[in-house]
Amino acid sequence: MSLKSRFLRIALIVLGVLLFAGYFAFSTFFFNPFESSLGFDVAALAPRNVDFFVAKARLSDWLSPFPELKHKAALAKNPAWKSWIESPEYASLERDLQLEKNLKDLRVQLAQIPFGTDLLTVFGGSDLAIAGYFRGTDLQQSDWAVYGRANWMGKFAASALRHPGIVGLEKQGFHAAVEEEYVALSGGQLPRELYITRIKDVVVIATTPELAKKAHELDRKQYEDSLHQSANYHDFIQARERNADADEVEVYVNARKLVENLGFKGEWPNTKSQDFTPALLGRLFQLGSLKNVMGIVGIDGGVQADLHGEFSSELITKDQEKLYRMRGFDRAQLMSEAATLCPADAGLFVYAHAHVGDFLRQALGAMEPALRQNIEDAFRSTGEYQNLDQLVTQLDNAIKDRAVLIVRKNDYPPDAEGPKNHSDEPVPAVALVLWMKDPKIVDKIRQTIGEKGQQFGLKGRNETEIGYFKYFEAGYETREYWSGAIPGTGVIATVTAGEVLIVTNCVRMIAHLLKVQTQGGDKYPRLADDPRFESLVQSALPRSNVLAWMNPPVLAPILREELRWNAGSAVNVDWNAITPLEERKILQASYKGRAKEQLTEEERAAFETALDERLKQLEENFKNQQLPALAGERDRWLNWFEASDGVLTMLALDPKSWDFTLRAPIPLERK
């Protein structure tokens, strides 16, 4: 053997010994470089009985480089995002949380990470979760643990804590107490002591030693008592229909524990509220009856949520139990029965299944006593009813357990022969569609209201008319009820077509809906044929009790017009001071300064027209100036609402549980 070969052989042996010794030393002091990763989801290390759990895979797809939003440049071009960043709400949030300052400090600290590596590359970028227990009314007092998958640098950092002298923790103001299964880290700027441990490629950072030790216990017992192995996690998170990467946010909350620890007591919504909406909602649902919430939330191209919850059966009222027991409708019934009635350009479409009598009794109970009494007095005065309960019983026997609400822009040509004595409030065209069990009962009620119109505030064109008109339109019996109390249109029109009853505030909407139902096609397009709606329905619950479809490009302008009108009615203008000034301006400019009394009859008419136009323009200017202050916050909410191309929600109820679906596609960039 030559000298060169001998030296090469010796060098290889020495190198092998050094590599073996280095591997042995590294494995002893830090971790085995060849160890396998955790073969389960990180939820396998969280206890089954935690009060809350939130997890996200592929977090680096959201934040890259951490803590910057990956799509920040595209978001900057989105009008809704720009409106949010420039809003007072964001400024208040930034001020309270010091977002910019904290982000700046975080960037400085991240710059000190060795090799200039992004934090999410080291820890949690592929899988991150937080789980824990509520403790007291302050959520910051909660006990929690963070579970994150780490690369070799993250594993090295966690293992190095067991040798604080090597990494110089004391010099940085930290104190590390090394225990068998974790390292207790305190000092520095930590608000509370942390307990850090590692199981294969998952690093666990906990606020209590029990959570750190529990992760090891679950690992030893093959995760048999973990959240990951629970039936709820499997059925309503893991087994859900998910995207290809299964990277939606996973959520579990013990709602009962949350409410208790927040010290929340009493009813919510409040059934004794003076406002009708919360009083009614409180009769249909109570927060205290909610047991837990679990499911997935995605934001890939918008917001998608599939949530499941359980009720505490002992806290459900008999009325609620009866309402929740309704079987609801499936997709086929939705598309064939309800969505074929709705125009494709509707701003709002709601389809619900509920017993009419049960719902009406809850609605009447939520009304102000005086209003309910007035309604009862009106029906009693007809001589047909002794009380409202008798009317409700009749309606329950006459109407099936389903209803559709349709709202669209009121772009129908005005009825020249229609009512004039009503407010000029801008209102959308609204229709309530019901299915009849007994048309004779319905006709009797319609006839009673019309013939006793004075008791219900009906008023016609003159003193001889009672504001009730009955006629046939295209073979369908139509009845109109005129009243100045009906905003915007002054009319309620009803028609029975087959088993369908349509009630609307716009007469011409009746013909439109019937043509949509019977003809459809390009001339009268249906919501059922809208690809957006159909696609979202197919991805949502197969069966539900309530569905709501909102079309932001259509609905937002309707709401904004109403908001503008309400804000405009609140504009305070001193017309007594302004009008004489504007009169002098017009007289000076057009009539050589003559007084009004010196104008001819023809000139006086032209002057009054010019003054009226001028005052209307000034009123519009005042509205434009004061509207941002009067309606700014709500208008911003509408801007954010318009970021979506469509919003679909579905709710399925059962006396023991509920399921909720939300679909809101949001294009990242707007053209």
Side-chain angles (χ1 to χ4, degrees):
M1 182 182 295
S2 66
L3 182 62
K4 183 177 181 181
S5 298
R6 188 177 301 166
F7 275 118
L8 179 60
R9 182 180 179 185
I10 293 172
L12 289 174
I13 292 173
V14 171
L15 179 60
V17 171
L18 290 174
L19 288 175
F20 176 77
Y23 166 77
F24 182 79
F26 191 88
S27 299
T28 300
F29 287 97
F30 300 105
F31 63 92
N32 183 353
F34 301 107
E35 71 180 0
S36 61
S37 60
L38 187 71
F40 291 84
D41 190 279
V42 294
L45 300 179
R48 184 190 299 259
N49 66 344
V50 291
D51 294 338
F52 61 90
F53 173 84
V54 181
K56 173 73 173 75
R58 299 169 63 91
L59 187 60
S60 56
D61 288 349
W62 282 11
L63 305 171
S64 181
F66 183 83
E68 305 295 340
L69 290 171
K70 185 174 183 178
H71 301 291
K72 186 176 181 179
L75 283 171
K77 301 176 184 178
N78 188 290
W81 180 261
K82 290 171 64 177
S83 174
W84 161 245
I85 293 297
E86 296 170 359
S87 70
E89 290 81 6
Y90 177 82
S92 176
L93 183 67
E94 198 284 329
R95 182 174 57 254
D96 294 341
L97 301 180
Q98 296 184 312
L99 295 176
E100 290 301 327
K101 179 182 181 300
N102 290 332
L103 283 174
K104 183 178 179 180
D105 293 342
L106 184 57
R107 293 186 188 100
V108 172
Q109 296 176 33
L110 291 174
Q112 300 174 12
I113 294 179
F115 315 116
T117 303
D118 177 31
L119 179 61
L120 289 183
T121 304
V122 178
F123 176 75
S126 61
D127 209 353
L128 186 70
I130 181 170
Y133 303 92
F134 298 119
R135 307 291 190 212
T137 58
D138 189 347
L139 293 179
Q140 294 182 356
Q141 298 173 355
S142 301
D143 292 333
W144 49 262
V146 175
Y147 309 82
R149 292 193 185 271
N151 67 1
W152 70 269
M153 283 187 287
K155 293 160 67 175
F156 176 79
S159 301
L161 291 176
R162 306 191 70 84
H163 311 283
I166 297 177
V167 294
L169 288 178
E170 297 291 345
K171 295 179 181 179
Q172 301 176 47
F174 293 100
H175 174 69
V178 181
E179 303 292 340
E180 181 179 356
E181 292 185 321
Y182 59 84
V183 175
L185 189 65
S186 59
Q189 297 182 358
L190 295 176
R192 59 196 296 187
E193 191 170 21
L194 298 178
Y195 302 86
I196 304 170
T197 190
R198 182 182 64 84
I199 300 173
K200 296 184 178 180
D201 65 331
V202 178
V203 175
V204 182
I205 304 173
T207 58
T208 66
E210 290 77 18
L211 281 169
K213 290 190 292 185
K214 186 64 176 179
H216 285 280
E217 180 184 335
L218 290 170
D219 184 51
R220 288 191 296 269
K221 293 183 177 181
Q222 294 298 302
Y223 323 109
E224 65 180 21
D225 197 29
S226 69
L227 179 66
H228 184 267
Q229 298 292 0
S230 68
N232 279 338
Y233 183 88
H234 176 270
D235 294 344
F236 304 112
I237 296 180
Q238 191 175 22
R240 287 278 193 185
E241 184 176 345
R242 306 184 62 168
N243 63 33
D245 298 317
D247 61 352
E248 299 94 342
V249 177
E250 301 175 356
V251 179
Y252 169 80
V253 178
N254 187 323
R256 179 187 289 179
K257 286 282 189 70
L258 177 60
V259 171
E260 289 176 355
N261 280 271
L262 290 177
F264 186 88
K265 297 180 180 179
E267 291 185 332
W268 193 90
N270 185 7
T271 59
K272 298 179 179 60
S273 173
Q274 296 299 312
D275 295 330
F276 174 76
T277 300
L280 174 61
L281 291 177
R283 284 166 168 78
L284 304 180
F285 164 77
Q286 278 297 313
L287 180 64
S289 67
L290 197 59
K291 189 175 180 181
N292 53 37
V293 179
M294 64 205 77
I296 57 175
V297 179
I299 61 169
D300 185 14
V303 179
Q304 312 91 38
D306 292 287
L307 302 176
H308 173 86
E310 296 177 341
F311 290 118
S312 298
S313 57
E314 70 277 10
L315 300 178
I316 298 293
T317 67
K318 293 296 183 182
D319 290 329
Q320 290 169 347
E321 181 180 358
K322 191 174 180 181
L323 179 67
Y324 298 170
R325 202 174 290 281
M326 283 289 300
R327 187 169 182 268
F329 52 87
D330 58 21
R331 291 171 183 157
Q333 187 175 6
L334 163 69
M335 300 302 285
S336 63
E337 180 181 68
T340 53
L341 267 165
C342 182
D345 63 353
L348 175 66
F349 166 77
V350 179
Y351 184 37
H353 274 206
H355 290 296
V356 174
D358 295 337
F359 181 80
L360 286 177
R361 290 184 182 93
Q362 297 303 318
L364 289 171
M367 286 183 182
E368 292 183 5
L371 176 59
R372 184 170 62 248
Q373 188 62 52
N374 288 340
I375 295 174
E376 185 168 68
D377 290 344
F379 277 97
R380 186 187 292 116
S381 66
T382 65
E384 299 288 341
Y385 304 96
Q386 296 179 354
N387 50 51
L388 278 180
D389 193 59
Q390 186 179 353
L391 172 65
V392 169
T393 301
Q394 277 196 9
L395 288 171
D396 198 27
N397 293 330
I399 304 296
K400 292 183 177 181
D401 54 1
R402 64 205 63 174
V404 163
L405 176 68
I406 300 170
V407 178
R408 69 179 301 275
K409 181 180 180 181
N410 191 354
D411 55 3
Y412 300 104
D415 184 0
E417 301 298 323
K420 302 295 188 294
N421 183 27
H422 57 80
S423 71
D424 61 351
E425 178 181 353
V427 296
V430 181
L432 176 66
V433 183
L434 302 167
W435 280 260
M436 299 179 292
K437 290 187 290 187
D438 191 336
K440 292 182 179 179
I441 296 178
V442 174
D443 286 342
K444 181 181 178 182
I445 295 173
R446 296 164 72 203
Q447 186 75 15
T448 298
I449 295 174
E451 292 179 347
K452 305 293 184 179
Q454 289 183 344
Q455 283 89 330
F456 295 95
L458 303 186
K459 189 174 182 180
R461 301 179 185 88
N462 50 57
E463 297 300 327
T464 62
E465 292 182 344
I466 60 173
Y468 169 60
F469 304 91
K470 176 181 176 181
Y471 55 91
F472 282 85
E473 182 78 27
Y476 297 116
E477 186 183 65
T478 304
R479 306 189 191 210
E480 291 185 27
Y481 307 88
W482 291 12
S483 172
I486 300 170
T489 64
V491 63
I492 292 293
T494 68
V495 68
T496 54
E499 66 170 347
V500 171
L501 168 67
I502 301 176
V503 182
T504 177
N505 67 340
C506 186
V507 176
R508 298 184 186 275
M509 192 178 188
I510 292 176
H512 185 195
L513 295 187
L514 292 175
K515 289 176 181 177
V516 168
Q517 181 191 38
T518 58
Q519 299 181 32
D522 294 338
K523 191 172 182 180
Y524 300 102
R526 299 166 173 161
L527 180 61
D529 300 324
D530 187 328
R532 294 177 305 161
F533 178 75
E534 186 177 11
S535 175
L536 294 180
V537 167
Q538 292 301 322
S539 73
L541 293 172
R543 180 176 293 277
S544 62
N545 297 79
V546 182
L547 174 146
W549 158 259
M550 289 169 280
N551 190 351
V554 175
L555 186 57
I558 291 174
L559 296 175
R560 188 173 285 111
E561 186 177 18
E562 182 179 357
L563 176 65
R564 183 183 180 86
W565 189 86
N566 290 332
S569 63
V571 171
N572 186 17
V573 180
D574 186 1
W575 293 113
N576 291 329
I578 292 176
T579 302
L581 179 62
E582 296 304 317
E583 288 179 345
R584 288 196 295 271
K585 289 181 180 179
I586 296 174
L587 291 171
Q588 186 66 39
S590 303
Y591 301 99
K592 299 180 180 180
R594 285 183 291 161
K596 288 190 295 182
E597 294 76 11
Q598 297 175 325
L599 300 180
T600 65
E601 185 175 341
E602 184 177 348
E603 289 175 331
R604 184 65 176 265
F607 167 77
E608 294 292 349
T609 300
L611 178 62
D612 185 56
E613 291 177 356
R614 176 59 179 164
L615 294 180
K616 286 182 179 179
Q617 183 60 52
L618 283 175
E619 184 179 23
E620 189 68 18
N621 292 342
F622 286 132
K623 288 182 180 179
N624 291 334
Q625 293 170 7
Q626 299 185 33
L627 186 61
L630 293 170
E633 181 179 354
R634 293 183 181 179
D635 192 59
R636 286 190 295 274
W637 279 104
L638 291 176
N639 288 336
W640 303 332
F641 176 59
E642 286 179 298
S644 175
D645 285 339
V647 180
L648 177 76
T649 63
M650 298 178 71
L651 177 64
L653 293 166
D654 180 86
K656 295 182 179 179
S657 63
W658 55 269
D659 288 277
F660 174 77
T661 286
L662 168 66
R663 298 287 185 268
I666 301 176
L668 197 58
E669 296 189 45
R670 290 284 188 183
K671 295 182 180 180

